Amino acid sequence: MTTLRIATYNIHKGVQGIGPVRRLEIHNIGHAVEQLDADVVCLQEVRKLHRREERYFTRWPELPQAEFLCPEGYAAVYQTNAKTKHGEHGNALLARWPIVSHGHEDMSDHRFEQRGLLHVEVQVGRRMVHVIVLHLGLIAGSRVRQIEQLGKFVEREIPRKAPVIVAGDFNDWGAKLRPVMNGFGFKDFLGERALTYPSRLPLTQLDFVYARGLKPTGIEIPRGRIWWRMSDHLPLIAEFNI
C-alpha cells in the first residue's frame, strides 16, 4: 500500500500587501513548498508573468512562478486561467512522480471571473492517478455550476475505475459543495475543522482535497507567523492510501 501526500495552496500570486507596502513572498513560498514534502503540490493564483510587478520588484524571478517553485526532482505543469492587462495567472501542479499527460478546461461562468481546471495524469508506481487542480468562483451559483461541469468532465475524460484527486481553492464557505462532491464519489478526510482562511486568523476552510478510488487518512495544516505572512491562505496537506 502506498501513501500519497497531496498539498493544495493558493499562493496569492507570490505577493502580499497592497499598494506601496506590498512585499514579494515568492522566494519564501519556494522554501515553503519544499517543506510541505508532498508527492503532488496543487497551486492556485500562480503567475506566468506580470510586467508591472516585474518592474516594481528588483528580485522578481526570471522564471515563471510554477517553474521557480518546483523543487529539485519534481516536474511542473502550469495552465493559464486569466489574462490581464499586465500578465496572466492560473493553476499549477508540481509532482515528484512522472507526469504522463496534462490538459485544461475553461470553467469561466461569467465575464468578470476567468476560471479553469488543470487535469494532470501522474504515474505513481505502476498506477495512473488523475489529479485535477481548480479554483472556483466567488459567487455561490457559479460554484454550483462549476462543480456540475467538473462532474461532467470527470465522467467524460477519466476512466471510471481510475483513482482521481480534485484539489484547490473551492471558495466553499461552510463546505456546502461537499454533498455534491460525495455524490460524484469523491471523499475528503473528516476530522477536526481544517481552517485555512484567512491565514492570519483562520475562520473557515476554503481549500479542499477530495479523492475517488483512494482512502483519505488524514490532513495537516502548517501554522505560524511565517505561513500567514506568505499568502492569505494556509496550505492544506491531505494523505490518502492507494
Side-chain angles (χ1 to χ4, degrees):
M1 183 175 294
T2 299
T3 298
L4 268 182
R5 187 172 167 89
I6 312 295
T8 183
Y9 193 14
N10 181 327
I11 67 167
H12 202 255
K13 307 181 183 79
V15 175
Q16 276 289 80
I18 300 173
V21 298
R22 68 188 187 277
R23 63 185 184 274
L24 187 62
E25 290 289 342
I26 194 68
H27 300 85
N28 292 329
I29 293 171
H31 295 301
V33 166
E34 292 184 352
Q35 293 300 313
L36 297 175
D37 191 30
D39 298 297
V40 175
V41 182
C42 303
L43 301 173
Q44 305 87 49
E45 293 195 22
V46 181
R47 288 274 192 217
K48 181 179 181 181
L49 61 94
H50 196 275
R51 288 173 286 272
R52 186 180 62 187
E53 298 286 51
E54 186 177 347
R55 292 192 298 269
Y56 182 83
F57 292 108
T58 57
R59 298 181 63 225
W60 188 265
E62 294 183 4
L63 291 172
Q65 288 182 351
E67 296 176 37
F68 180 78
L69 295 174
C70 192
E72 184 176 356
Y74 283 60
V77 178
Y78 165 86
Q79 182 63 52
T80 294
N81 290 337
K83 294 185 178 181
T84 61
K85 179 180 178 181
H86 299 286
E88 52 191 275
H89 63 269
N91 298 324
L93 179 142
L94 316 177
R96 63 161 48 114
W97 293 95
I99 291 173
V100 178
S101 66
H102 60 89
H104 174 262
E105 178 158 302
D106 184 9
M107 298 185 80
S108 303
D109 186 63
H110 52 82
R111 65 189 181 93
F112 299 106
E113 288 186 283
Q114 301 173 68
R115 305 287 180 175
L117 67 78
L118 171 63
H119 170 217
V120 183
E121 191 174 5
V122 182
Q123 184 173 346
V124 181
R126 297 182 178 179
R127 298 197 68 179
M128 297 298 178
V129 177
H130 295 259
V131 184
I132 294 174
V133 189
L134 46 69
H135 186 183
L136 299 184
L138 297 174
I139 300 172
S142 292
R143 294 193 292 273
V144 171
R145 290 185 287 272
Q146 287 164 341
I147 286 296
E148 292 172 351
Q149 181 180 351
L150 168 70
K152 293 175 182 177
F153 178 89
V154 171
E155 184 177 5
R156 183 181 74 241
E157 300 292 338
I158 300 175
R160 187 171 297 274
K161 294 185 178 181
V164 189
I165 294 164
V166 179
D169 179 357
F170 280 63
N171 272 313
D172 184 18
W173 295 76
K176 294 181 176 62
L177 297 174
R178 181 177 280 136
V180 183
M181 292 296 291
N182 292 166
F184 293 148
F186 288 90
K187 307 290 184 182
D188 64 329
F189 183 80
L190 297 177
E192 61 182 69
R193 296 182 68 193
L195 307 180
T196 63
Y197 182 87
S199 57
R200 183 184 290 261
L201 184 63
L203 299 173
T204 190
Q205 179 180 1
L206 298 186
D207 308 270
F208 294 82
V209 181
Y210 291 95
R212 186 186 75 183
L214 303 168
K215 181 181 179 181
T217 58
I219 55 173
E220 174 186 340
I221 300 174
R223 301 190 185 279
R225 184 174 186 272
I226 189 172
W227 291 98
W228 60 250
R229 279 183 58 85
M230 288 186 291
S231 173
D232 57 342
H233 287 247
L234 294 172
L236 183 146
I237 308 158
E239 292 190 342
F240 299 88
N241 285 341
I242 178 171

